[in-house]
Amino acid sequence: MTGRLQNTVALVTGASSGIGEATARSLAAEGAAVAVPAGRRDRLEELADKVRADGGTAFVVPADITDQQQAAAAVQGVVSEFGRLDTVVNNAGTMGVGQAVDSPLEEWERMLEINVQGLLYVTHAALPHLLRAAEDSPRRVADLVNISSTAGRVARPGTAVYNLTKFGVNGFTEALRQEVMQKRVRVSVVEPGTVDTELSSHLRDGVRQAIERQVEGMEMLRPEDIADAVSYIVTRDRRVAVNEILVRAGEQTW
């Protein structure tokens, strides 16, 4: 397989379904060897088989990225397998919605673990390798892309802690971008709106039905739409840094 990412290696978290799966396949189609760490090994093996059937290279890395040691080991495992790491997409995430007074504390903690801590653990482990890749890659650039949300821009009742995590991701992304941009590591954020994924299945009964009523009749985004945005970012020439992409469903007002 040939493409604009030929001879590069990409790591995509949360790739067992939805945006992560679509992004892994999109980057593989551009020629990158794709590593996919996540907890559901059976789903990852299915994804790897699809990538290989399309002529690409996939490497399955079972890991719970909310555990710092597992996240670091996953990154090191990718580098040991391929000798480098050029692109990281921090996609793993979960969403909890509901009035704060009624929300289980465990739901808040889970969002912080996955949306914030997991992203930080992977980023911390990957940064030295991305900095090296920017020096020795034929493309002379490396990329870190964080998947945030419209909830990182717009706060609404019932999404307080989800807003906390996604506003935080946006702020972290921008500060880190300024730290490493002179070394040709591009740090970008993609903010999806309403996407047809498994994310809403994590919601509690009652809350889930309310969300479904809110988007009823709306033509939601597809995971491939967000994967297209990620691929656009990481396939630009090194002179171009696409720092932020906001992608809403056509009928979405928030």
Side-chain angles (χ1 to χ4, degrees):
M1 180 176 290
T2 59
R4 288 172 288 186
L5 299 180
Q6 189 70 22
N7 300 320
T8 69
V9 178
L11 182 152
V12 182
T13 69
S16 58
S17 65
I19 293 170
E21 178 181 358
T23 298
R25 296 189 70 177
S26 179
L27 298 182
E30 287 286 355
V34 176
V36 286
R40 295 184 287 183
R41 184 172 189 123
D42 56 336
R43 298 285 291 269
L44 289 173
E45 293 292 357
E46 290 176 11
L47 168 60
D49 288 342
K50 292 176 184 176
V51 169
R52 293 165 188 147
D54 291 336
T57 300
F59 180 57
V60 177
V61 193
D64 176 1
I65 63 164
T66 67
D67 180 287
Q68 187 272 331
Q69 292 184 340
Q70 290 191 47
V75 171
Q76 187 55 52
V78 174
V79 176
S80 296
E81 177 72 15
F82 295 106
R84 60 184 308 105
L85 180 59
D86 303 86
T87 304
V88 172
V89 182
N90 281 312
N91 165 74
T94 188
M95 177 177 67
V97 177
Q99 296 295 312
V101 69
D102 298 322
S103 295
L105 190 58
E106 294 80 5
E107 192 173 86
W108 291 2
E109 291 171 341
R110 189 62 178 157
M111 282 188 279
L112 290 169
E113 288 172 353
I114 298 177
N115 300 359
V116 178
Q117 289 179 325
L119 180 148
L120 294 178
Y121 293 155
V122 171
T123 299
H124 186 268
L127 269 175
H129 304 291
L130 295 175
L131 289 165
R132 279 196 291 274
E135 292 180 352
D136 66 18
S137 167
R139 302 184 71 236
R140 295 185 298 144
V141 70
D143 285 281
L144 173 69
V145 182
N146 293 328
I147 306 300
S148 181
S149 168
T150 53
R153 301 169 63 98
V154 180
R156 307 177 73 216
T159 61
V161 178
Y162 190 58
N163 287 136
L164 169 69
T165 66
K166 295 304 185 178
F167 271 77
V169 166
N170 286 6
F172 172 74
T173 302
E174 173 57 18
L176 184 60
R177 180 189 73 81
Q178 295 180 42
E179 288 185 24
V180 298
M181 64 183 189
Q182 295 298 333
K183 298 178 181 178
R184 293 295 181 174
V185 175
R186 300 181 296 202
V187 183
S188 310
V189 65
V190 176
E191 299 151 306
T194 303
V195 185
D196 187 9
T197 69
E198 294 181 0
L199 196 61
S200 62
S201 67
H202 302 163
L203 300 175
R204 288 171 281 126
D205 289 342
V207 174
R208 184 173 62 254
Q209 284 80 359
I211 295 296
E212 289 172 350
R213 287 193 296 271
Q214 184 181 48
V215 300
E216 186 175 5
M218 177 187 294
E219 185 177 5
M220 292 188 285
L221 296 166
R222 299 173 183 173
E224 292 77 13
D225 298 323
I226 310 307
D228 285 346
V230 175
S231 291
Y232 179 81
I233 289 171
V234 303
T235 55
R236 296 309 89 195
D237 187 272
R238 71 190 294 268
R239 71 180 180 276
V240 180
V242 182
N243 305 139
E244 179 180 19
I245 295 184
L246 170 64
V247 188
R248 286 189 175 103
E251 302 161 275
Q252 185 173 342
T253 57
W254 62 90

